[in-house]
Amino acid sequence: MKSSAARPLTCDFDLLGSTRSATLRDIPPRDLVCNVFDSETTGLNPASDEVVQLGAVRIVNSRIVPGEVSDTLVNPGGPIPKSSIAVHGIDNAMVAGAPCFGDVCLQSHEIPRRLRITPLLISPF
């Protein structure tokens, strides 16, 4: 596969020497293969607030895999409160032409079943 392809070929020969652990709990974090997701929303209430941005990276051997990075603005279907814009900097004009959440989810890569999903939550509180 050419490096200019949408998903360039990545070879990590360190993986050949790795051994399987009996449980996921036994694997050191540096040896995990995982997808890390982050999102920005219109607020903090999951029952009423909407996603305005989704980001994801795939990490193998503590390194981000080139071509396995995603950053997508999402149209929340309504106005973004000023208090939320102050936190993440994403405003109504930025998401006006963006796809809705359902379309973004349909376009996303299928997540391999055996990878650990690591949600990232950074809060100033």
Side-chain angles (χ1 to χ4, degrees):
M1 184 181 286
K2 295 180 183 179
S3 62
S4 63
R7 184 176 177 189
L9 179 63
T10 301
C11 298
D12 193 338
F13 294 105
D14 290 339
L15 293 174
L16 297 174
S18 63
T19 58
R20 289 195 173 257
S21 295
T23 66
L24 191 58
R25 192 172 281 156
D26 295 333
I27 302 172
R30 70 180 176 281
D31 293 340
L32 285 174
V33 175
C34 59
N35 289 322
V36 180
F37 294 88
D38 184 34
S39 65
E40 299 297 343
T41 62
T42 58
L44 299 176
N45 186 340
S48 61
D49 292 311
E50 300 293 334
V51 172
V52 295
Q53 183 181 33
L54 287 175
V57 296
R58 184 165 187 218
I59 299 174
V60 176
N61 271 355
S62 300
R63 288 177 246 150
I64 294 174
V65 178
E68 297 288 329
V69 177
S70 174
D71 182 12
T72 306
L73 290 172
V74 179
N75 188 325
I80 302 171
K82 289 181 183 180
S83 58
S84 295
I85 295 170
V87 172
H88 50 58
I90 300 168
D91 62 30
N92 295 302
M94 293 171 69
V95 299
C100 68
F101 183 76
D103 291 343
V104 170
C105 289
L106 290 174
Q107 295 169 3
S108 296
H109 293 288
E110 184 177 324
I111 301 167
R113 289 185 192 122
R114 286 189 272 174
L115 291 182
R116 169 180 259 191
I117 297 174
T118 308
L120 174 65
L121 175 63
I122 299 174
S123 174
F125 306 107

